[in-house]
Amino acid sequence: MSDKSTAITGQERGNGKFPKGLVLRLFAYLVAGHLFAGFLYLLFSLGGQN
C-alpha cells in the first residue's frame, strides 16, 4: 500500500480555516442570490397589483 492513504490533518487543510477565495465566492453568491430573490419578489408583488 502507498503512503497516500494517510489521514488528512489540520495542517493540510489550513488548520480548519476556509480558503479566502471560497469565502469571497460564497459571500458573493449569497448576496447575488438575495438580490435576485428580492427582484423576483418585487416583480411579482407589483405584477399582482393589477
Side-chain angles (χ1 to χ4, degrees), residues 23-46:
V23 173
L24 289 176
R25 247 183 299 149
L26 181 62
F27 182 72
Y29 289 152
L30 284 173
V31 169
H34 281 87
L35 286 175
F36 183 66
F39 172 71
L40 286 180
Y41 177 77
L42 181 66
L43 188 70
F44 280 98
S45 65
L46 289 176

Side-chain angles (χ1 to χ4, degrees), residues 5-28:
S5 62
T6 59
I8 297 174
T9 62
Q11 187 68 27
E12 286 87 3
R13 287 190 321 227
N15 293 326
K17 295 181 181 177
F18 287 108
K20 189 175 183 180
L22 178 65
V23 173
L24 289 176
R25 247 183 299 149
L26 181 62
F27 182 72

